[in-house]
Structure formats: structure tokens, C-alpha cells
Amino acid sequence: MEIKNKNVFITGSTRGIGLAIAEEFAKAGANVIINGRSQVTEEVLATMTAYGVQAVGVSGDISSTDDAKRMIQEATEALGSVDILINNAGITKDKIVLGMKEDDFESVLKINLVGAFNMTQAVLKPMTRARQGAIINVASVVGLIGNAGQANYAASKAGLIGFTKSVAREVAGRNIRVNAIAPGFIESDMTAGLADKIKEMMQAQIPMKRFGSVQEVATAVIFLASQEYMTGQVLTIDGGMVM
Ligand code: NAD
């Protein structure tokens, strides 16, 4: 799929992996819709328009059905269509399962999984009419192999992988592709707070012995968006954790 001039909505794209994905699409000539829970700053939009593309800020909470519908509508009004959706926004609330409150479990599922469902459902109607589109869900290797202290997060990402494969089957005949990426440990705000000792332990589990960068994840997303005969797949970007 030609990326140039396509309109790409990236959830949770004011920082981290989402911001890097947006910048990589802008570099490739795509117009980008930047989303955060609060208002998107002019600075972020200027980073994108510097590549000669259009950039629109749309604020809202993906875990709200109404916000999801409104955000897709606002993006469509601003740019004419949403051709590619990247379900990137996500949170962690790490605790061992014995100490996990119901709300710790539910709130992670509500954003990481229900949020992706809300956005997908909102975008699929116009994509189905247009008979073209691509959706990429940002899962995690934790959804494939689990992680102690992240049962809620792992369940949400494993759920997102099942969701990806099911929706891919539903819409393949409409020329809409649905894939997922599963990053390993990536340098971002999500991992910045980890204690050095924990980081060292995590690095020891990675065959390539280093965390990935947000740009490395972003280039894999561009590949999945442009590849025209792949659907229902999970691409790991993890320095060899899952082989
Ligand atoms: P981050 O915390 O830096 O960024 C997450 C973004 O999502 C933020 O902009 C945040 O505001 C937004 N967000 C959170 N809840 C939202 C909501 N309800 N509505 C709208 N936006 C919301 O995290 P990151 O490391 O950039 O992670 C991005 C994605 O990559 C997440 O889905 C995460 O699970 C996944 N991931 C991260 C790593 C890693 O090591 N950093 C590894 C594998 C997968």
C-alpha cells in the first residue's frame, strides 16, 4: 500500500512509541492524526508538519465509546478519511496477581483491549464503505509469553492478538488488513521508571542484550502498513526474545 498521502490515526501518539510511529508516517509522506487524552500541543503538530504533511490533533479517551466515535468523525471531517488506524495507546498497572485489585485488572483491559475495540469499530464502517484500509494493533511479547507481575497487561495484549486475528478474518474480503506488532522491551516512558536492577534482569533475557528503540518499532509498523498480502499476523520486534 502506498503510504504517501494516506491519513493515519495513531492513538496515544503524543509521546513514546506512538509519537515515533507518527513521525515515521509523516516522513513517508502520510498525513497524521495525533491523539492524546488531553489537548495535543502545537509543538507535536509542528514536528509532523515539518515533513510537509498535514497533522491534526484529536483529544479523547479511547476507552469511551462516545469519544472513539467522535474522534474518528473529527479526523474524517478534517482530512476526508482515515485510511490507516494504529491502536497504540496502552497502560500498565504492574502487581503480582495475589496483590492485584479488580480495578487494576479491569482498568488495564478497558484501555488496552476495549479501547482498541472502540476505535476499530468506529473506523471500520467508513473503511468498509471505502473497501480499503489497514489496522495495526500494538500488542506486546508479554501477550505471547506472559510476564510475572503483569497478568493484567499480558491478558490485555493476548486478548488484543486474538482480536486482531478475528477481525482480520471478518474484513479480509473488504480489502482491509488487520495485523499486530509485539514489541519486546523498548526504551520509553513506560520502561523509564524501572529500577536499574530490574532493567539488568530484563536485558539478560534478551538475546540481543539491549532494549529496542521507539524508532525500531515504528519502522516495523510502516512495513505492516505498506505490505499488501499480510493479514492476521503478529510481528515481534524484540531482539530475539520470541523465536
Ligand atoms: P507511553 O506510556 O510512553 O505512551 C502511551 C500513550 O498512550 C501516552 O501518550 C498516553 O497518554 C496514551 N494513553 C494512555 N491511555 C489512553 C487513553 N485511555 N486514551 C488515549 N490515549 C491514552 O507508552 P509506550 O511505551 O509508548 O507504549 C505504547 C504502546 O506500546 C502501548 O500499547 C504499550 O503497551 C506498547 N508496548 C510498549 C513496550 C515498551 O517496552 N515500552 C513494549 C511492548 C508494547
mmCIF file of all heavy atoms in Angstrom, residues 12-18 35-37 60-63 88-91 111 138-140 153 157 183-186 188-191, ligand 1:
data_model
loop_
_atom_site.group_PDB
_atom_site.id
_atom_site.type_symbol
_atom_site.label_atom_id
_atom_site.label_comp_id
_atom_site.label_asym_id
_atom_site.label_seq_id
_atom_site.Cartn_x
_atom_site.Cartn_y
_atom_site.Cartn_z
ATOM 1 N N GLY A 12 -2.747 7.504 21.254
ATOM 2 C CA GLY A 12 -1.664 7.669 22.243
ATOM 3 C C GLY A 12 -0.361 8.092 21.591
ATOM 4 O O GLY A 12 0.693 7.506 21.866
ATOM 5 N N SER A 13 -0.436 9.134 20.738
ATOM 6 C CA SER A 13 0.756 9.477 19.938
ATOM 7 C C SER A 13 1.425 10.791 20.331
ATOM 8 O O SER A 13 2.157 11.369 19.548
ATOM 9 C CB SER A 13 0.392 9.481 18.448
ATOM 10 O OG SER A 13 -0.803 10.171 18.228
ATOM 11 N N THR A 14 1.168 11.238 21.563
ATOM 12 C CA THR A 14 1.828 12.480 21.999
ATOM 13 C C THR A 14 3.225 12.220 22.552
ATOM 14 O O THR A 14 3.980 13.145 22.824
ATOM 15 C CB THR A 14 0.981 13.189 23.074
ATOM 16 O OG1 THR A 14 0.734 12.249 24.125
ATOM 17 C CG2 THR A 14 -0.337 13.693 22.508
ATOM 18 N N ARG A 15 3.558 10.946 22.747
ATOM 19 C CA ARG A 15 4.900 10.606 23.252
ATOM 20 C C ARG A 15 5.216 9.135 22.943
ATOM 21 O O ARG A 15 4.368 8.403 22.431
ATOM 22 C CB ARG A 15 4.989 10.858 24.755
ATOM 23 C CG ARG A 15 4.118 9.917 25.556
ATOM 24 C CD ARG A 15 4.351 10.060 27.047
ATOM 25 N NE ARG A 15 3.832 8.910 27.736
ATOM 26 C CZ ARG A 15 3.095 8.966 28.843
ATOM 27 N NH1 ARG A 15 2.807 10.130 29.377
ATOM 28 N NH2 ARG A 15 2.672 7.876 29.433
ATOM 29 N N GLY A 16 6.426 8.737 23.265
ATOM 30 C CA GLY A 16 6.828 7.329 23.215
ATOM 31 C C GLY A 16 6.717 6.683 21.847
ATOM 32 O O GLY A 16 7.003 7.305 20.811
ATOM 33 N N ILE A 17 6.281 5.426 21.859
ATOM 34 C CA ILE A 17 6.195 4.641 20.621
ATOM 35 C C ILE A 17 5.215 5.293 19.637
ATOM 36 O O ILE A 17 5.497 5.392 18.442
ATOM 37 C CB ILE A 17 5.781 3.183 20.960
ATOM 38 C CG1 ILE A 17 6.909 2.483 21.746
ATOM 39 C CG2 ILE A 17 5.449 2.398 19.698
ATOM 40 C CD1 ILE A 17 6.566 1.091 22.279
ATOM 41 N N GLY A 18 4.086 5.765 20.151
ATOM 42 C CA GLY A 18 3.067 6.385 19.276
ATOM 43 C C GLY A 18 3.609 7.602 18.547
ATOM 44 O O GLY A 18 3.376 7.785 17.337
ATOM 45 N N ASN A 35 -3.235 11.729 18.693
ATOM 46 C CA ASN A 35 -4.236 11.621 19.775
ATOM 47 C C ASN A 35 -3.585 11.528 21.147
ATOM 48 O O ASN A 35 -2.580 10.843 21.331
ATOM 49 C CB ASN A 35 -5.119 10.373 19.523
ATOM 50 C CG ASN A 35 -5.758 9.816 20.774
ATOM 51 O OD1 ASN A 35 -5.404 8.747 21.260
ATOM 52 N ND2 ASN A 35 -6.693 10.542 21.337
ATOM 53 N N GLY A 36 -4.169 12.268 22.078
ATOM 54 C CA GLY A 36 -3.803 12.157 23.485
ATOM 55 C C GLY A 36 -5.068 12.350 24.290
ATOM 56 O O GLY A 36 -6.089 12.803 23.751
ATOM 57 N N ARG A 37 -5.009 12.016 25.574
ATOM 58 C CA ARG A 37 -6.213 12.206 26.382
ATOM 59 C C ARG A 37 -6.497 13.688 26.594
ATOM 60 O O ARG A 37 -7.623 14.120 26.660
ATOM 61 C CB ARG A 37 -6.086 11.494 27.725
ATOM 62 C CG ARG A 37 -6.610 10.081 27.639
ATOM 63 C CD ARG A 37 -6.394 9.326 28.909
ATOM 64 N NE ARG A 37 -4.979 9.122 29.191
ATOM 65 C CZ ARG A 37 -4.501 8.261 30.074
ATOM 66 N NH1 ARG A 37 -5.328 7.548 30.790
ATOM 67 N NH2 ARG A 37 -3.210 8.121 30.266
ATOM 68 N N GLY A 60 -9.046 12.771 23.291
ATOM 69 C CA GLY A 60 -10.136 11.936 23.800
ATOM 70 C C GLY A 60 -9.610 10.640 24.358
ATOM 71 O O GLY A 60 -8.470 10.271 24.122
ATOM 72 N N ASP A 61 -10.516 9.987 25.087
ATOM 73 C CA ASP A 61 -10.163 8.746 25.779
ATOM 74 C C ASP A 61 -10.654 7.552 24.956
ATOM 75 O O ASP A 61 -11.864 7.393 24.759
ATOM 76 C CB ASP A 61 -10.847 8.794 27.162
ATOM 77 C CG ASP A 61 -10.572 7.568 28.000
ATOM 78 O OD1 ASP A 61 -10.009 6.569 27.483
ATOM 79 O OD2 ASP A 61 -10.932 7.596 29.190
ATOM 80 N N ILE A 62 -9.744 6.704 24.507
ATOM 81 C CA ILE A 62 -10.138 5.569 23.654
ATOM 82 C C ILE A 62 -11.035 4.568 24.384
ATOM 83 O O ILE A 62 -11.737 3.807 23.743
ATOM 84 C CB ILE A 62 -8.910 4.833 23.075
ATOM 85 C CG1 ILE A 62 -8.004 4.291 24.191
ATOM 86 C CG2 ILE A 62 -8.142 5.699 22.095
ATOM 87 C CD1 ILE A 62 -7.075 3.182 23.758
ATOM 88 N N SER A 63 -11.007 4.588 25.722
ATOM 89 C CA SER A 63 -11.841 3.617 26.441
ATOM 90 C C SER A 63 -13.308 4.051 26.510
ATOM 91 O O SER A 63 -14.146 3.320 27.025
ATOM 92 C CB SER A 63 -11.278 3.340 27.839
ATOM 93 O OG SER A 63 -11.422 4.470 28.655
ATOM 94 N N ASN A 88 -2.372 2.152 19.355
ATOM 95 C CA ASN A 88 -1.104 2.148 20.107
ATOM 96 C C ASN A 88 -1.286 2.431 21.592
ATOM 97 O O ASN A 88 -0.533 1.912 22.409
ATOM 98 C CB ASN A 88 -0.151 3.182 19.490
ATOM 99 C CG ASN A 88 1.004 3.498 20.410
ATOM 100 O OD1 ASN A 88 1.950 2.718 20.544
ATOM 101 N ND2 ASN A 88 0.929 4.640 21.098
ATOM 102 N N ALA A 89 -2.267 3.271 21.967
ATOM 103 C CA ALA A 89 -2.387 3.710 23.368
ATOM 104 C C ALA A 89 -2.495 2.515 24.306
ATOM 105 O O ALA A 89 -3.208 1.549 24.011
ATOM 106 C CB ALA A 89 -3.605 4.611 23.535
ATOM 107 N N GLY A 90 -1.791 2.572 25.392
ATOM 108 C CA GLY A 90 -1.864 1.482 26.355
ATOM 109 C C GLY A 90 -1.282 1.899 27.692
ATOM 110 O O GLY A 90 -0.537 2.888 27.772
ATOM 111 N N ILE A 91 -1.646 1.162 28.729
ATOM 112 C CA ILE A 91 -1.133 1.446 30.081
ATOM 113 C C ILE A 91 -0.681 0.151 30.760
ATOM 114 O O ILE A 91 -1.047 -0.940 30.321
ATOM 115 C CB ILE A 91 -2.190 2.144 30.987
ATOM 116 C CG1 ILE A 91 -3.429 1.242 31.177
ATOM 117 C CG2 ILE A 91 -2.586 3.496 30.423
ATOM 118 C CD1 ILE A 91 -4.281 1.620 32.383
ATOM 119 N N ILE A 111 -8.594 -0.062 28.763
ATOM 120 C CA ILE A 111 -7.851 0.806 27.826
ATOM 121 C C ILE A 111 -7.177 -0.030 26.742
ATOM 122 O O ILE A 111 -7.358 0.215 25.541
ATOM 123 C CB ILE A 111 -6.829 1.683 28.587
ATOM 124 C CG1 ILE A 111 -7.589 2.697 29.459
ATOM 125 C CG2 ILE A 111 -5.877 2.401 27.614
ATOM 126 C CD1 ILE A 111 -6.744 3.600 30.296
ATOM 127 N N VAL A 138 -0.931 -2.456 18.527
ATOM 128 C CA VAL A 138 0.340 -2.579 19.239
ATOM 129 C C VAL A 138 0.116 -3.500 20.445
ATOM 130 O O VAL A 138 -0.444 -3.090 21.460
ATOM 131 C CB VAL A 138 0.906 -1.204 19.644
ATOM 132 C CG1 VAL A 138 2.246 -1.379 20.349
ATOM 133 C CG2 VAL A 138 1.064 -0.303 18.414
ATOM 134 N N ALA A 139 0.528 -4.746 20.293
ATOM 135 C CA ALA A 139 0.410 -5.729 21.380
ATOM 136 C C ALA A 139 1.717 -5.721 22.162
ATOM 137 O O ALA A 139 2.303 -4.657 22.404
ATOM 138 C CB ALA A 139 0.089 -7.100 20.797
ATOM 139 N N SER A 140 2.231 -6.881 22.529
ATOM 140 C CA SER A 140 3.484 -6.977 23.282
ATOM 141 C C SER A 140 3.906 -8.444 23.323
ATOM 142 O O SER A 140 3.051 -9.335 23.302
ATOM 143 C CB SER A 140 3.267 -6.471 24.710
ATOM 144 O OG SER A 140 4.348 -6.851 25.539
ATOM 145 N N TYR A 153 -1.814 -6.902 32.219
ATOM 146 C CA TYR A 153 -1.281 -6.392 30.946
ATOM 147 C C TYR A 153 -1.160 -7.533 29.931
ATOM 148 O O TYR A 153 -1.550 -7.391 28.763
ATOM 149 C CB TYR A 153 0.079 -5.751 31.242
ATOM 150 C CG TYR A 153 0.785 -5.122 30.061
ATOM 151 C CD1 TYR A 153 0.352 -3.904 29.531
ATOM 152 C CD2 TYR A 153 1.903 -5.719 29.491
ATOM 153 C CE1 TYR A 153 1.024 -3.317 28.467
ATOM 154 C CE2 TYR A 153 2.576 -5.140 28.433
ATOM 155 C CZ TYR A 153 2.135 -3.937 27.930
ATOM 156 O OH TYR A 153 2.792 -3.356 26.875
ATOM 157 N N LYS A 157 -2.971 -7.867 26.258
ATOM 158 C CA LYS A 157 -2.236 -7.962 24.989
ATOM 159 C C LYS A 157 -2.502 -9.297 24.283
ATOM 160 O O LYS A 157 -2.549 -9.344 23.058
ATOM 161 C CB LYS A 157 -0.737 -7.751 25.229
ATOM 162 C CG LYS A 157 -0.388 -6.348 25.762
ATOM 163 C CD LYS A 157 -0.813 -5.242 24.802
ATOM 164 C CE LYS A 157 -0.309 -3.870 25.245
ATOM 165 N NZ LYS A 157 -0.686 -2.794 24.317
ATOM 166 N N PRO A 183 6.093 -5.681 20.399
ATOM 167 C CA PRO A 183 7.436 -5.246 20.830
ATOM 168 C C PRO A 183 7.859 -5.979 22.094
ATOM 169 O O PRO A 183 7.030 -6.382 22.915
ATOM 170 C CB PRO A 183 7.250 -3.750 21.104
ATOM 171 C CG PRO A 183 5.934 -3.365 20.501
ATOM 172 C CD PRO A 183 5.101 -4.607 20.540
ATOM 173 N N GLY A 184 9.166 -6.117 22.247
ATOM 174 C CA GLY A 184 9.737 -6.628 23.494
ATOM 175 C C GLY A 184 9.915 -5.449 24.440
ATOM 176 O O GLY A 184 9.020 -4.617 24.572
ATOM 177 N N PHE A 185 11.076 -5.338 25.070
ATOM 178 C CA PHE A 185 11.311 -4.216 25.979
ATOM 179 C C PHE A 185 11.883 -3.048 25.187
ATOM 180 O O PHE A 185 12.915 -3.174 24.539
ATOM 181 C CB PHE A 185 12.232 -4.636 27.116
ATOM 182 C CG PHE A 185 11.634 -5.729 27.959
ATOM 183 C CD1 PHE A 185 12.258 -6.957 28.090
ATOM 184 C CD2 PHE A 185 10.414 -5.537 28.610
ATOM 185 C CE1 PHE A 185 11.690 -7.984 28.860
ATOM 186 C CE2 PHE A 185 9.836 -6.547 29.369
ATOM 187 C CZ PHE A 185 10.478 -7.771 29.495
ATOM 188 N N ILE A 186 11.184 -1.922 25.244
ATOM 189 C CA ILE A 186 11.519 -0.753 24.436
ATOM 190 C C ILE A 186 11.818 0.424 25.358
ATOM 191 O O ILE A 186 11.126 0.617 26.357
ATOM 192 C CB ILE A 186 10.331 -0.404 23.492
ATOM 193 C CG1 ILE A 186 9.881 -1.618 22.662
ATOM 194 C CG2 ILE A 186 10.647 0.806 22.605
ATOM 195 C CD1 ILE A 186 10.905 -2.231 21.725
ATOM 196 N N SER A 188 11.224 3.709 26.602
ATOM 197 C CA SER A 188 10.159 4.724 26.518
ATOM 198 C C SER A 188 9.768 5.093 27.941
ATOM 199 O O SER A 188 10.293 4.516 28.892
ATOM 200 C CB SER A 188 8.949 4.180 25.748
ATOM 201 O OG SER A 188 8.185 3.343 26.594
ATOM 202 N N ASP A 189 8.799 6.034 28.066
ATOM 203 C CA ASP A 189 8.345 6.424 29.415
ATOM 204 C C ASP A 189 7.846 5.222 30.209
ATOM 205 O O ASP A 189 7.954 5.173 31.426
ATOM 206 C CB ASP A 189 7.208 7.452 29.318
ATOM 207 C CG ASP A 189 7.715 8.823 28.941
ATOM 208 O OD1 ASP A 189 8.956 8.974 28.834
ATOM 209 O OD2 ASP A 189 6.901 9.730 28.739
ATOM 210 N N MET A 190 7.282 4.241 29.460
ATOM 211 C CA MET A 190 6.708 3.060 30.127
ATOM 212 C C MET A 190 7.780 2.256 30.862
ATOM 213 O O MET A 190 7.522 1.649 31.889
ATOM 214 C CB MET A 190 6.009 2.182 29.091
ATOM 215 C CG MET A 190 4.979 1.265 29.665
ATOM 216 S SD MET A 190 4.090 0.359 28.382
ATOM 217 C CE MET A 190 2.525 1.195 28.403
ATOM 218 N N THR A 191 9.005 2.254 30.335
ATOM 219 C CA THR A 191 10.082 1.466 30.948
ATOM 220 C C THR A 191 11.119 2.349 31.662
ATOM 221 O O THR A 191 12.000 1.828 32.343
ATOM 222 C CB THR A 191 10.805 0.608 29.877
ATOM 223 O OG1 THR A 191 11.163 1.451 28.784
ATOM 224 C CG2 THR A 191 9.949 -0.524 29.380
HETATM 225 P P1 NAD B 1 3.805 5.537 26.953
HETATM 226 O O1 NAD B 1 3.247 5.403 28.322
HETATM 227 O O2 NAD B 1 5.047 6.303 26.733
HETATM 228 O O3 NAD B 1 2.686 6.092 25.963
HETATM 229 C C1 NAD B 1 1.357 5.634 25.979
HETATM 230 C C2 NAD B 1 0.466 6.658 25.326
HETATM 231 O O4 NAD B 1 -0.895 6.212 25.389
HETATM 232 C C3 NAD B 1 0.526 8.007 26.038
HETATM 233 O O5 NAD B 1 0.546 9.037 25.077
HETATM 234 C C4 NAD B 1 -0.792 8.042 26.827
HETATM 235 O O6 NAD B 1 -1.269 9.333 27.067
HETATM 236 C C5 NAD B 1 -1.704 7.286 25.864
HETATM 237 N N1 NAD B 1 -2.912 6.782 26.504
HETATM 238 C C6 NAD B 1 -2.994 6.013 27.621
HETATM 239 N N2 NAD B 1 -4.289 5.789 27.900
HETATM 240 C C7 NAD B 1 -5.032 6.408 26.943
HETATM 241 C C8 NAD B 1 -6.422 6.546 26.703
HETATM 242 N N3 NAD B 1 -7.340 5.989 27.513
HETATM 243 N N4 NAD B 1 -6.841 7.257 25.616
HETATM 244 C C9 NAD B 1 -5.934 7.838 24.799
HETATM 245 N N5 NAD B 1 -4.601 7.751 24.988
HETATM 246 C C10 NAD B 1 -4.159 7.046 26.057
HETATM 247 O O7 NAD B 1 3.980 4.035 26.443
HETATM 248 P P2 NAD B 1 4.781 3.425 25.196
HETATM 249 O O8 NAD B 1 5.915 2.672 25.728
HETATM 250 O O9 NAD B 1 4.981 4.440 24.129
HETATM 251 O O10 NAD B 1 3.687 2.339 24.740
HETATM 252 C C11 NAD B 1 2.892 2.448 23.574
HETATM 253 C C12 NAD B 1 2.273 1.090 23.313
HETATM 254 O O11 NAD B 1 3.308 0.124 23.137
HETATM 255 C C13 NAD B 1 1.401 0.575 24.455
HETATM 256 O O12 NAD B 1 0.264 -0.081 23.934
HETATM 257 C C14 NAD B 1 2.301 -0.426 25.160
HETATM 258 O O13 NAD B 1 1.574 -1.398 25.842
HETATM 259 C C15 NAD B 1 3.056 -0.980 23.975
HETATM 260 N N6 NAD B 1 4.345 -1.614 24.327
HETATM 261 C C16 NAD B 1 5.321 -0.914 24.967
HETATM 262 C C17 NAD B 1 6.523 -1.555 25.280
HETATM 263 C C18 NAD B 1 7.648 -0.852 25.988
HETATM 264 O O14 NAD B 1 8.599 -1.525 26.411
HETATM 265 N N7 NAD B 1 7.631 0.452 26.117
HETATM 266 C C19 NAD B 1 6.685 -2.899 24.938
HETATM 267 C C20 NAD B 1 5.667 -3.577 24.289
HETATM 268 C C21 NAD B 1 4.495 -2.918 23.983
#
